[in-house]
Amino acid sequence: MSSSLAVLTDALASSTLSAREVSHTMLDQARRLTNSEQGFAAAIDLRTGELLAHAITRSLATDFDIRNEAGRAVFPEPRDGAFGDVWGHVLNTKEPLCTTDANTHPAADHPSGGARTLREFLAVPAMSGDRLVGELA
């Protein structure tokens, strides 16, 4: 764990890494610590309010109906001011979420239907003071 924290500290303190590179480092370390096959690191676009994944595993893009716009992974837009699904629950509440069955969580919403590859789900909101800036899952 301490080696992961050292890697993350270096990445966050770096003035040469892009947001995408820092996001990939965060996702790699989070997946390593949790032994997860899937995950994403995303930030809220301050201009549009959209959640943009700077790093995401391919299967999650399918599970969460992520669209690819000009090389950007964009989560579905908020409906009635709230993000949908279990990933959106974390953003809406600004609270972490840990569940062993994401498909039956009350916030679960899979518009395209079908079976998900996602079962367990662990996510935390990314905060800057009191301001929500993204999510790591």
Side-chain angles (χ1 to χ4, degrees):
M1 178 138 168
S2 59
S3 65
S4 290
L5 289 174
V7 170
L8 289 172
T9 300
D10 289 345
L12 291 170
S14 173
S15 60
T16 61
L17 294 179
S18 68
R20 184 173 302 278
E21 291 169 317
V22 170
S23 295
H24 277 279
T25 299
M26 289 174 62
L27 179 56
D28 290 346
Q29 293 304 312
R31 288 177 61 203
R32 188 173 85 61
L33 286 170
T34 61
N35 200 29
S36 297
E37 294 179 13
Q38 303 178 85
F40 68 85
I44 295 176
D45 185 315
L46 297 178
R47 189 177 42 81
T48 66
E50 295 174 313
L51 184 66
L52 308 175
H54 294 289
I56 188 167
T57 55
R58 202 173 299 254
S59 58
L60 273 187
T62 301
D63 279 347
F64 287 134
D65 296 320
I66 310 298
R67 64 187 191 278
N68 189 331
E69 292 182 0
R72 301 181 322 160
V74 182
F75 282 76
E77 294 179 16
R79 292 182 299 231
D80 299 323
F83 289 99
D85 217 327
V86 290
W87 62 268
H89 180 76
V90 173
L91 298 173
N92 299 332
T93 62
K94 297 181 184 175
E95 295 287 333
L97 174 63
C98 181
T99 180
T100 57
D101 190 356
N103 295 318
T104 61
H105 187 276
D109 175 24
H110 196 229
S112 64
R116 285 186 171 181
T117 58
L118 180 68
R119 303 283 186 270
E120 295 88 8
F121 185 73
L122 171 65
V124 294
M127 306 291 293
S128 178
D130 291 335
R131 186 171 59 112
L132 179 69
V133 296
E135 181 173 352
L136 179 63

